[in-house]
Amino acid sequence: MRVRSGVSAVAVVAASALVLSGCGGGEGSGSGGTEGTVTIFNGEPENPLIPGNTTEAYGQTVIDPMFTGLIEYNPDTAEPYNAVAESIQTTDSKVFKVKLKPGWKFHDGTDVKAKNFVDAWNWTAYGPNATQGASFFSAIQGYDEVHPKDPDGTSGPQKAPQPAVDKMSGLKVIDDLNFEITLSKPFSVFPTTVGYGVFSPLPDAFFADRKAYEAKPIGNGPMKFDSREVNSFIKLTRNDDYQGEDKVKFKDLVLKVYQSREAAYSDLIDNNLDFIEELPTSALAGQQFRRDLGERVVEKDSLIVQQVSFPFYRKPYDNPDLRKAISMAIDRDTITKQIFDGTRTPSDGWVHPLIKGYRPGQCGEFCTFDPVKAKEYLARSGHKGPIQMQTNVDGGHKEWAEAVCNSVKNALNTECQFVQVTDFNEHRRMVNAREMVGMYRSGWIADYPSIENFLNPLVKTGGSSNDGEYSNPAVDAKLDEADRAPSEAQAIELYAQAEKMVAQDMPIVPLWSQKTQGGRSDRLKTAKLDAFRKLDLTSVELA
């Protein structure tokens, strides 16, 4: 999960010499540097700060400024530009030759070499390491050998067999600045994906002493780790030796851990917090936030969608008619108006409207509020018991989740039990442990700007965020066909066909996309959101 008006997807296609280029910083970027500390809202990251095992939003908020990958995404347009990579070249979208820029350093002073990317990717992909980001490497030749398939899925009692090797055959170090990537089949979108955090390099120190690294993580980004108090704060400090374009102008960044957005918002109003990337739902009612913050409101169209997912490993939610009934029982229009005061747009499919390849109406009648048809599908499903809705109640999710549950209850004339989970970490623990007992919140922030990112990780069998364990071989085959498409236009057409097929199963219920409302303190003269709903650190200037 990763963050302009008018965002477009960038699907890089095969060419005789592919070289991504562009400018990294948004308005206000530069190498200047004033002293000062900026404090921002965050929650407690789910895992230790290892890029390949960090796919949730709170962890990524820390990882993103600490690491720089082969490419980065422009904060205003989301288009990829070369960062550590000098070039990424291919003639067939299957074999990619990567050349690194010389002079890049990790925060411990060691050189960023080709092996640091290859070693990190192999470690993340290796099955026994059980990383959350492993499946992002599934396109690379040899992935199946280092990450054997679990015979009965994550929720089953059987374990995946021990791999015989720990390195993917598709990765080859040529020398310190060059390496080669061979995919198992052509994948035209691949170069766009490698700006996501799981593709970051790891220093030799990680492999020498992992515990020491976890205590003081070492990256290669514009900010480096300083200190941490669990459930309180994480402090980063500016890397004055940073080689990239996306430099920051302030000295220190403190990510303050809050148990609720409401508490953070109160601190923001009083100028005791400098930035919150998304205001609590309570502040949106009647546009209260505009009266509270005035010119301190920060707004951006963000590549984020809110969704509800189902545990296919738990009856009765493996029943497609029940899932369709639930979706048609949700009054998206009323909820977005009453709860969010019109700052959300009801979804009619799974792909974000600002992504290239979005097609209206992909969900069809199943995303249209229709209590009569919803009752018909409920009857067809044969389910007569209560329906459960689970979500963490921090982060401003309680109000809308209760509204969704009430809408289902009223439309279907059946009980909907709202099951509160105390916080995001516990919610994610339960999702990962396959402990969900009902439908549950599963919001999605794009990892990279591509239609593919709204489908493969979420609905492909074994996808990195397919936590409900949905599986449809026909959908998988169509997605594989799209991955192999020789051109962007052909890939988009095939991904759109796969999206349409998903509607017949409704493994995930699309709810709404959003314009994000954040806020800044008086201490910040400028501060912008990027397309991934994060503070664009290059834009920050102290007053």
Side-chain angles (χ1 to χ4, degrees):
M1 319 175 171
R2 288 302 185 211
V3 174
R4 35 263 75 112
S5 292
V7 173
S8 296
V10 180
V12 185
V13 299
S16 58
L18 172 66
V19 182
L20 298 174
S21 62
C23 177
E27 189 177 312
S29 65
S31 60
T34 58
E35 300 307 304
T37 299
V38 173
T39 59
I40 69 173
F41 165 86
N42 205 42
E44 184 63 30
E46 181 181 0
N47 296 315
L49 299 173
I50 303 170
N53 198 31
T54 302
T55 61
E56 46 81 24
Y58 293 148
Q60 288 176 5
T61 303
V62 187
I63 290 291
D64 282 353
M66 284 185 57
F67 287 86
T68 298
L70 295 175
I71 68 168
E72 294 289 318
Y73 305 113
N74 184 287
D76 292 318
T77 66
E79 293 185 1
Y81 67 92
N82 281 347
V84 179
E86 183 173 298
S87 64
I88 302 174
Q89 299 180 333
T90 186
T91 58
D92 58 5
S93 289
K94 183 177 180 181
V95 178
F96 297 87
K97 297 181 183 299
V98 180
K99 183 176 183 179
L100 307 183
K101 295 173 183 174
W104 278 79
K105 302 280 187 181
F106 285 106
H107 298 153
D108 62 358
T110 59
D111 292 328
V112 177
K113 300 178 181 179
K115 70 181 295 294
N116 296 113
F117 282 96
V118 169
D119 289 349
W121 294 9
N122 277 322
W123 181 87
T124 302
Y126 186 58
N129 290 332
T131 65
Q132 292 188 352
S135 68
F136 283 93
F137 300 89
S138 61
I140 298 176
Q141 180 179 288
Y143 174 81
D144 291 343
E145 296 175 6
V146 303
H147 198 105
K149 182 178 293 187
D150 188 332
D152 56 358
T154 307
S155 60
Q158 298 183 55
K159 292 184 178 181
Q162 183 75 16
V165 296
D166 61 0
K167 294 177 177 59
M168 291 179 283
S169 59
L171 296 178
K172 180 181 179 182
V173 175
I174 307 302
D175 56 37
D176 284 351
L177 295 178
N178 292 275
F179 69 101
E180 187 175 276
I181 307 165
T182 301
L183 307 183
S184 57
K185 55 195 173 189
F187 183 23
S188 62
V189 178
F190 183 76
T192 302
T193 72
V194 297
Y196 183 37
V198 299
F199 291 94
S200 299
L202 283 170
D204 293 342
F206 170 82
F207 301 97
D209 190 339
R210 178 175 164 182
K211 286 189 176 180
Y213 168 92
E214 290 181 359
K216 189 170 184 179
I218 301 164
N220 67 321
M223 307 210 76
K224 54 187 178 182
F225 182 87
D226 179 273
S227 56
R228 177 178 190 177
E229 185 175 321
V230 175
N231 290 318
S232 179
F233 71 87
I234 297 174
K235 180 181 178 183
L236 308 180
T237 191
R238 187 177 63 227
N239 175 17
D240 290 327
D241 298 321
Y242 183 60
Q243 294 88 355
E245 299 175 18
D246 51 332
K247 297 178 175 67
V248 298
K249 298 186 180 74
F250 57 93
K251 181 64 175 175
D252 296 319
L253 178 68
V254 175
L255 301 99
K256 297 178 68 174
V257 175
Y258 286 87
Q259 295 306 309
S260 73
R261 286 187 184 271
E262 286 76 13
Y265 183 59
S266 178
D267 275 357
L268 180 73
I269 293 174
D270 295 336
N271 287 299
N272 293 322
L273 179 72
D274 289 322
F275 193 86
I276 183 171
E277 89 293 350
E278 185 175 3
L279 303 179
T281 303
S282 58
L284 301 179
Q287 301 280 309
Q288 179 63 40
F289 66 97
R290 299 198 188 279
R291 294 188 289 276
D292 292 339
L293 299 175
E295 294 183 352
R296 293 196 281 145
V297 174
V298 180
E299 296 184 273
K300 185 73 172 180
D301 286 321
S302 303
L303 296 177
I304 178 172
V305 292
Q306 196 60 253
Q307 303 171 329
V308 170
S309 290
F310 298 94
F312 277 66
Y313 50 84
R314 190 89 60 199
K315 292 184 178 299
Y317 301 99
D318 59 343
N319 187 312
D321 289 327
L322 176 62
R323 299 192 298 270
K324 292 171 183 175
I326 290 172
S327 183
M328 289 188 287
I330 298 172
D331 190 350
R332 296 164 178 79
D333 188 60
T334 297
I335 293 172
T336 53
K337 288 176 180 176
Q338 292 186 350
I339 302 294
F340 297 108
D341 200 40
T343 61
R344 306 294 191 265
T345 301
S347 294
D348 58 1
W350 291 266
V351 175
H352 193 285
L354 296 179
I355 285 290
K356 192 173 183 179
Y358 163 77
R359 294 184 179 180
Q362 288 284 74
C363 187
E365 65 175 340
F366 303 126
C367 284
T368 301
F369 180 57
D370 191 332
V372 174
K373 284 190 176 180
K375 288 188 180 75
E376 291 175 359
Y377 273 91
L378 178 64
R380 191 181 304 177
S381 75
H383 179 63
K384 299 184 183 300
I387 293 169
Q388 291 182 313
M389 168 73 180
Q390 290 176 278
T391 186
N392 53 302
V393 293
D394 60 343
H397 299 299
K398 184 174 186 290
E399 295 88 347
W400 71 256
E402 285 183 327
V404 165
C405 201
N406 284 332
S407 183
V408 170
K409 173 184 176 181
N410 294 331
L412 296 179
N413 194 27
T414 189
E415 184 179 1
C416 183
Q417 300 169 341
F418 180 59
V419 182
Q420 297 187 22
V421 181
T422 54
D423 56 35
F424 177 74
N425 273 355
E426 176 62 11
H427 180 74
R428 286 302 308 168
R429 186 201 66 77
M430 293 173 68
V431 169
N432 291 332
R434 304 303 190 253
E435 295 178 359
M436 307 314 284
V437 297
M439 58 181 182
Y440 59 93
R441 184 187 75 83
S442 58
W444 184 252
I445 306 173
D447 301 314
Y448 42 86
S450 171
I451 183 175
E452 178 271 340
N453 189 238
F454 286 85
L455 296 169
N456 274 342
L458 297 168
V459 299
K460 181 178 276 190
T461 301
S464 62
S465 296
N466 185 355
D467 299 316
E469 299 195 358
Y470 163 68
S471 181
N472 183 327
V475 171
D476 291 345
K478 184 60 67 175
L479 289 170
D480 285 340
E481 187 181 357
D483 292 345
R484 296 193 301 270
S487 72
E488 177 187 9
Q490 289 171 287
I492 287 174
E493 172 61 31
L494 292 165
Y495 285 126
Q497 291 177 22
E499 183 188 11
K500 193 72 172 176
M501 293 167 66
V502 169
Q504 296 306 310
D505 293 332
M506 291 300 294
I508 299 169
V509 171
L511 295 178
W512 45 77
S513 58
Q514 69 183 68
K515 171 177 280 189
T516 299
Q517 284 77 27
R520 62 173 175 83
S521 72
D522 286 330
R523 295 183 62 252
L524 303 189
K525 182 169 67 176
T526 61
K528 298 193 304 183
L529 285 162
D530 66 17
F532 302 93
R533 202 196 63 172
K534 292 187 179 69
L535 173 61
D536 171 13
L537 297 179
T538 68
S539 75
V540 175
E541 293 185 19
L542 297 172

